[in-house]
Structure formats: structure tokens, C-alpha cells
Amino acid sequence: QSRWVSLRSTLMDKGGIVDSLQSVAEFGMVIYSGGSEDPAQCVKLVTVQPALNNFMALDAAYPQMPLGMGTPTDKALDHVVTTLPITNTALLDTATKPVYVVLATDGAPNDACGGGGLLGGPGAGDTAVQQRVIDVVTKGTQAGMEMYVISIAGDDTALQQHLEMVAKATASQTPPFVPATKDELVNNFRKIVGSASCQIDLHGKVLDGKECAGKVSLNGVDLTCASDNGWKLLDPDTFELTGSACTSFTSSASMVSATFPCEVF
């Protein structure tokens, strides 16, 4: 299969990423290409706003074949940063919706309308365009965006090196996921989306090293602290359900409870 078909299948097949997780994660989409010969249309976007149970809207909008040539990654990411509610901040006693952006790309960023060429021509993979990608990721990260990179670069080492620099500009600085097969691509998305939906905001902060003084339960069953199949504290005010606990949480309606002694919270 082509990389386009593999990516679309991973996301949109029955039982795939979107279908299986759409009830717990609000999926949106931005697909981009180099637009047309009209200088005023330097980027062509297909966008769907995030929402729960969004499979039908995404499936209808997601093209079966690539939009066209060109990879204006900087412009597409700028659209995401300036139009999505990317600020991951919370006020006390306010429900939060952390926003995660996943960039999956197999092409070096370029800008046909801004002087960069396409398909190996002058400006293809232009360093100035690459820097604009890093700059807009930095801007989004400073605003609170959590972003992960999936590299479908194949044997393009120059693109892989660029995507590693992009990943370093993200909040977590997680290196790019580099799937070699469709199954690995599926697992990459599940890891990213699953970890996002299994992270829970606390209305306060836990003292460093004291998290296991608290108790977290899932549907009335106590979970093991600092466990790969229980829960872990990510930062003073966020904990994550892990392994089998995360799987149970995302597969059906669930109730999570967390309590901590006053002297550590």
C-alpha cells in the first residue's frame, strides 16, 4: 500500500483509531497540500473541527487519494495553532480538555508560492521553510499545545533529521515515531491518543515524591501507584492511567476517583 492509503486506513477503517476511540477523544483533522498555481492559494486545506463521535464527518472529508503536490507544513501548522483551542490550561474546579496535535508527514516542507520549489526543484525542503515549521511549533508549544510527530519519511534521512528538530520544539520533546509497517503506525497512534485520553487533571498539586500516599480507583477498584498497569503521576497536578487501567478506562463508561491526604495535596 502507499503511505497515503496506509495512513488513511489506520485512522478511518472500521475498528481503526478514530472509530474505536471517537467516544472518548474529540478528533479533528487538517490535511494539506501545495494548493494551486494561483499565488493567493499557496496552501490547500481540508479541515474538520474536533468533536466527539466525529467519524462520519471525518470519513466524508478525508480524500481517498492525495490532494496534490507540495508540502506547506508551516502554513498548515500555523492554521492549527491560530484556529484550534490549543491552550492546555485549567482553572481550579474547571473541567479541562487537553489538546494534542499529531503531525504525520512523509514530505519535506516546501513553499511553491514563496519562492521554494516542488519535487526537488529550487527551494524544495528549503531551510527557511523548515525553520518556519519549527517556529510555528515553538509558538504553539509556548501557548500550551502538546504535539507529537509521526515520521513517514522512509529512507529520506534529511526529512527525518528535520522532523527530529521539530520534535525537539514540542513540550515533551518526544522523538518522532518512525513506523516501518502499518501495524506499527496503528500502535503509534494508539499510544499517543490513548495516553492523552488517560491523563486526568487534579484540582490541586501533589507534593513531589508523595503521590503514592494517595489512592486512585477505577470503577471502585483500587489501582497500583507508579505501576505500568495502574497509575502514575505525570506532574504535580496530572496523573495518568497506565496499561490495562487505561484500556479499561477508554473501552467503556468509567468512573475514576482520586484522593490524597491533606498534608501531601
Side-chain angles (χ1 to χ4, degrees):
Q1 291 184 336
S2 71
R3 286 174 285 188
W4 178 275
V5 171
S6 292
L7 179 61
R8 193 188 193 287
S9 176
T10 293
L11 293 169
M12 303 308 303
D13 276 0
K14 187 69 176 177
I17 298 298
V18 174
D19 181 48
S20 62
L21 293 174
Q22 63 172 331
S23 65
V24 295
E26 298 184 12
F27 284 101
M29 178 176 73
V30 177
I31 296 176
Y32 62 97
S33 73
S36 66
E37 296 179 358
D38 181 354
Q41 298 178 359
C42 295
V43 58
K44 180 178 180 180
L45 301 177
V46 174
T47 63
V48 177
Q49 290 298 308
L52 287 176
N53 301 310
N54 214 17
F55 177 86
M56 292 184 65
L58 291 166
D59 193 47
Y62 199 145
Q64 295 288 339
M65 298 300 293
L67 296 180
M69 300 301 179
T71 316
T73 307
D74 58 323
K75 294 181 174 63
L77 282 173
D78 187 67
H79 173 82
V80 171
V81 169
T82 56
T83 61
L84 288 179
I86 61 170
T87 302
N88 287 318
T89 58
L91 299 176
L92 191 64
D93 297 329
T94 300
T96 60
K97 291 184 178 181
V99 177
Y100 287 75
V101 175
V102 182
L103 170 65
T105 180
D106 69 349
N110 48 42
D111 184 358
C113 301
L118 303 178
L119 299 178
D126 191 304
T127 54
V129 184
Q130 292 180 358
Q131 186 58 51
R132 291 206 298 268
V133 173
I134 295 170
D135 290 345
V136 74
V137 171
T138 301
K139 174 184 174 183
T141 298
Q142 291 172 343
M145 175 180 70
E146 294 282 353
M147 178 174 155
Y148 295 92
V149 179
I150 294 181
S151 169
I152 319 178
D155 57 2
D156 188 338
T157 56
L159 174 57
Q160 179 62 29
Q161 290 173 357
H162 165 65
L163 293 178
E164 289 172 359
M165 295 177 64
V166 172
K168 288 181 179 179
T170 66
S172 71
Q173 298 187 348
T174 301
F177 294 88
V178 187
T181 66
K182 181 183 173 184
D183 285 344
E184 289 184 12
L185 185 61
V186 171
N187 290 335
N188 291 163
F189 269 103
R190 284 198 176 278
K191 185 174 182 179
I192 294 169
V193 179
S195 66
S197 58
C198 287
Q199 292 178 12
I200 299 171
D201 183 64
L202 291 167
H203 295 164
K205 294 184 177 182
V206 181
L207 290 179
D208 185 37
K210 299 295 186 180
E211 61 270 20
C212 289
K215 182 175 73 173
V216 174
S217 63
L218 175 64
N219 297 325
V221 177
D222 290 347
L223 301 176
T224 304
C225 174
S227 167
D228 290 334
N229 290 289
W231 69 279
K232 294 180 179 179
L233 194 71
L234 293 181
D235 57 49
D237 60 1
T238 310
F239 71 91
E240 177 182 18
L241 302 180
T242 58
S244 57
C246 179
T247 300
S248 297
F249 179 65
T250 56
S251 62
S252 61
S254 301
M255 177 65 71
V256 176
S257 171
T259 58
F260 295 87
C262 293
E263 63 269 18
V264 305
F265 190 68

